């Protein structure tokens, strides 16, 4: 059974940092695209970042502040979030799929999400 489990969310103040982790199990994901999405209350889920084949791509809203990385041996992907803003408040989801994309429906596997709240 494939599972993606996120952790690392929490309540922080504007300007603080957090690192999210997503551990995948059930099969190796070394050749897969691993991505982070987020969903704020009342809004649609949106793309944050993706990593695949050593390349990383980011949404404009997080470029320069967030960094996605992975440890293939640990089947884990990370999202380092710096200079957090109140508008970064959302549930953050990890996703895995065969191709890197900013589109939700390109990903086969999803985690349950972890809440990130940034106070002003």
């Amino acid at each position: 059974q494939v599972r993606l489990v996120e952790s690392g969310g929490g309540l922080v103040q504007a300007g603080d940092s957090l690192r999210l982790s997503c551990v995948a199990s059930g099969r190796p994901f070394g050749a897969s695209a691993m991505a982070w999405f987020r969903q704020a209350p009342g809004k649609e889920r949106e793309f944050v970042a993706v990593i695949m084949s050593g390349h990383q791509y980011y949404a404009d809203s997080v470029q320069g502040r967030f960094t996605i990385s992975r440890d293939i041996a640990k089947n884990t992907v990370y999202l380092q979030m710096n200079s957090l803003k109140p508008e970064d408040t959302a549930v953050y989801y990890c996703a895995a799929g065969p191709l890197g994309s900013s589109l939700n429906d390109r990903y086969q596997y999803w985690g349950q999400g972890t809440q990130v709240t940034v106070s002003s």
Side-chain angles (χ1 to χ4, degrees), residues 96-116:
L99 298 174
S101 174
S102 62
L103 302 176
N104 289 349
D105 61 5
R106 298 295 190 264
Y107 293 90
Q108 296 173 283
Y109 305 106
W110 291 85
Q112 82 291 346
T114 184
Q115 177 70 48
V116 172

Side-chain angles (χ1 to χ4, degrees), residues 30-115:
S32 301
M34 301 292 292
W36 289 95
F37 287 77
R38 66 187 182 186
Q39 187 167 19
K43 295 187 177 181
E44 294 186 353
R45 189 171 300 186
E46 65 174 5
F47 168 77
V48 175
V50 62
I51 185 167
M52 182 175 184
S53 301
H55 298 284
Q56 304 88 34
Y57 299 95
Y58 301 91
D60 289 345
S61 59
V62 306
Q63 180 77 48
R65 298 187 298 122
F66 290 11
T67 302
I68 188 171
S69 61
R70 71 193 302 173
D71 185 331
I72 292 176
K74 294 182 178 179
N75 237 14
T76 300
V77 63
Y78 305 97
L79 186 68
Q80 177 66 42
M81 306 185 294
N82 298 330
S83 302
L84 282 161
K85 304 175 181 180
E87 51 263 45
D88 294 320
T89 295
V91 177
Y92 283 71
Y93 297 91
C94 173
L99 298 174
S101 174
S102 62
L103 302 176
N104 289 349
D105 61 5
R106 298 295 190 264
Y107 293 90
Q108 296 173 283
Y109 305 106
W110 291 85
Q112 82 291 346
T114 184
Q115 177 70 48

